[in-house]
Amino acid sequence: MQLINQHPVLAYSHGAKVKFTFDGNELEGFEGEPIAMALHANGVHVYRVTPEMKRPRGFFCAIGKCSSCFMVVDGVPNVRTCITPLKAGMKIETQHGKGAVPMEVA
């Protein structure tokens, strides 16, 4: 992971180091930090591909107002990873297309 450890103005504190998976690969991040930050620190820069134009999208607004960081998190599509806190054991996947909500018939 590559993170800024010291800054002349800002103080950094991290939660516990946790493991999560991204597209089947196990990575590490800090609990409570935005998922997008953990991915970026692990060298992941493409979070989804646009449905129509097939263009890669990554970290953009960082405040939850755009759709660039949409990913599938624990089976739920269209999760804004820039504002969603990381938790241990999360399964994060690149979103392809508009995302589909799995429907179960009882």
Side-chain angles (χ1 to χ4, degrees), residues 83-97:
I83 59 170
T84 303
L86 181 67
K87 296 177 190 167
M90 280 184 148
K91 180 182 176 187
I92 301 160
E93 300 169 286
T94 302
Q95 181 165 313
H96 301 282

Side-chain angles (χ1 to χ4, degrees), residues 29-69:
F30 294 101
E31 188 171 40
E33 73 182 347
I35 294 169
M37 182 177 167
L39 291 169
H40 194 80
N42 280 282
V44 177
H45 303 291
V46 176
Y47 298 168
R48 71 182 193 97
V49 176
T50 58
E52 287 82 24
M53 301 295 288
K54 309 296 183 224
R55 294 181 177 162
R57 293 291 182 253
F59 205 45
F60 182 68
C61 80
I63 58 171
K65 297 298 180 187
C66 73
S67 60
S68 289
C69 68

